[in-house]
Amino acid sequence: MARWLGLSEKGNDGLHFMEQRPVRDNPLYNQNRMKIGIIAMNCSHGSTITTADNSWKMTWPDTREVSVMADRAGFEVLLPVARWRGYGGETNFNNRTFETYNWAAAVAAVTDYSCIFSTSHVPLTHPVAAAKQCATIDHISGGRFALNVVCGWFKNEFEMFNAEWREHDVRYEYATEWLDLVRRIWTEENEFDFEGRWFTSRNIWSQPKPIQKPMPPVMNAGGSEAGQKFAATQADMNFVILKQRDIEGGRAQIRKLKDMAREAGREVQSWIHVYVVCRETEKEARDYLNHYVVERGDYVAVNNLLEIFGMQSETLPPDVLDEFRFHFIAGHGGYPLVGTAEQIVDEIDTLVRIGVDGILISWVDYKTECRQWIDEVMPLMEQAGQRRLFEANGG
Ligand SMILES: Cc1cc2nc3c(=O)[nH]c(=O)nc-3n(C[C@H](O)[C@H](O)[C@H](O)COP(=O)(O)O)c2cc1C
């Protein structure tokens, strides 16, 4: 049974159900200085391009086990990646994926606390269908749903749909209209018509509305100027790729985003993706990182992936490309948290000072390493004042 507060009403069948919950009660808005989540559990190999033993096979029983484990420990977010085909190589990285709305509905049904995301490629889902899928998951979760809006960055996926591959910045104009229509469907009680540049719809109707009021939160991971502008003006959370890892550079990047949002009258959270290798000694952690990246990395898959992102040898010097390769194999280009639990918590302190609100974690072995994170890293985060003890949160 979900443990959230809401307005309880008695349905026709005499059962109590929750119709409304303020979005502020979503765990995304709790008081923890560093919120935590898990990314890419719905994809084979998660975010790690390696043939190492115990890398993520992606089955439903394993997904359920890790989701429940994280939920019970008070993780704020569980987030899937929208991916339709793999990147080749020995791993065929991200070849097996669960569809993100279905994934979110199922994960919502087995959890009580975490905010459950779906990730939606806006050009591949009609907003009328998307709005209803989101509302459905918001009801299943008891008002814990959020939507990650992505415009697409892998052309081959769009060819599977025969979908138009628009010019880069136009994708964000399209996403703005798409989201505008979704939000109207979430909030307008009366039937309405919509006349836009891409969507023309008559007599639009959708019930039930989402439980969260005024509406569920939206996240975006745009990194370009157009993407950041979209994130700052349209989203509640921005997924940032830190361009510089020093405190001043990172802080300036995040401040710029939050200032852009404030100018548009919005408050945005900034989240980043981190890959974690936690071991008893720093040497053990570094040796394992070296093992799964250098000795067992899938270089064919990572080269395919970098080529798709336009990071080829013609455009980048070899040493820069090597560094990109390393971080993409290690954790899809995320920020490294590698070392002992104490060192990781120190590094998280730096991220707090930079202005990061939350980290989405990937590991090679989600099952074992998530358990280790809960047992060894989270108590230190609580001691360091980065998070409150979950039970004390009333979660
Ligand atoms: C952590 C993270 C998760 C992302 N998840 C997806 C995804 O699930 N599917 C997708 O097609 N793109 C995904 N993206 C790509 C972004 O939506 C975006 O296209 C990318 O960061 C490039 O920014 P730009 O579109 O502004 O050029 C993700 C990006 C990041 C950083």
Side-chain angles (χ1 to χ4, degrees), residues 39 81-83 119 121 150 152-153 168 172 221-224 227 239 241 273:
I39 187 170
V81 164
R83 188 87 304 131
T119 296
H121 276 122
V150 296
W153 64 356
H168 179 278
Y172 283 98
S224 60
F239 215 145
I241 303 173
H273 171 201

Side-chain angles (χ1 to χ4, degrees), residues 233-250:
T233 55
Q234 303 292 328
D236 305 293
M237 298 162 72
N238 182 212
F239 215 145
V240 183
I241 303 173
L242 286 178
K243 296 198 171 83
Q244 291 175 35
R245 294 192 169 169
D246 63 293
I247 295 191
E248 275 320 309

Side-chain angles (χ1 to χ4, degrees), residues 161-202:
F161 290 81
N162 195 22
E164 191 178 340
W165 185 247
R166 297 182 177 84
E167 191 266 311
H168 179 278
D169 290 5
V170 177
R171 285 180 227 158
Y172 283 98
E173 292 168 25
Y174 181 93
T176 304
E177 184 175 314
W178 187 94
L179 191 56
D180 182 32
L181 180 47
V182 165
R183 282 178 162 151
R184 286 190 62 185
I185 297 170
W186 281 348
T187 53
E188 289 192 23
E189 292 293 339
N190 297 324
E191 221 171 76
F192 66 94
D193 294 341
F194 188 92
E195 189 81 51
R197 184 167 158 202
W198 289 282
F199 300 104
T200 302
S201 302
R202 299 275 164 259

Side-chain angles (χ1 to χ4, degrees), residues 47-74:
S47 288
T48 317
I49 313 176
T50 180
T51 60
D53 299 348
N54 298 330
S55 51
W56 188 241
K57 295 192 176 45
M58 210 289 291
T59 65
W60 173 246
D62 285 350
T63 303
R64 185 178 51 204
E65 186 179 328
V66 179
S67 300
V68 169
M69 191 193 297
D71 179 71
R72 301 290 184 268

Side-chain angles (χ1 to χ4, degrees), residues 149 172 220-231 238-241 257:
V149 168
Y172 283 98
N220 176 259
S224 60
E225 275 300 313
Q228 286 182 41
K229 187 165 164 250
F230 175 84
N238 182 212
F239 215 145
V240 183
I241 303 173
L257 262 167

Side-chain angles (χ1 to χ4, degrees), residues 33-39 75-79 219 237 239 242 269-276 335 337 344-345 347-349 351-352 356-363 373 377 381 386-387:
R33 292 176 69 200
M34 183 56 81
K35 301 180 211 324
I36 50 180
I38 304 182
I39 187 170
F75 279 51
E76 281 82 6
V77 168
L78 300 172
L79 182 134
M219 182 182 212
M237 298 162 72
F239 215 145
L242 286 178
Q269 292 187 8
S270 294
W271 284 61
I272 64 167
H273 171 201
V274 298
Y275 61 85
V276 170
Y335 187 98
L337 289 182
I344 286 174
V345 172
E347 193 65 34
I348 293 173
D349 251 338
L351 294 175
V352 170
V356 174
D357 299 291
I359 50 177
L360 286 175
I361 304 172
S362 62
W363 297 277
W373 175 274
V377 182
M381 290 183 78
Q386 295 165 354
R387 298 178 60 79

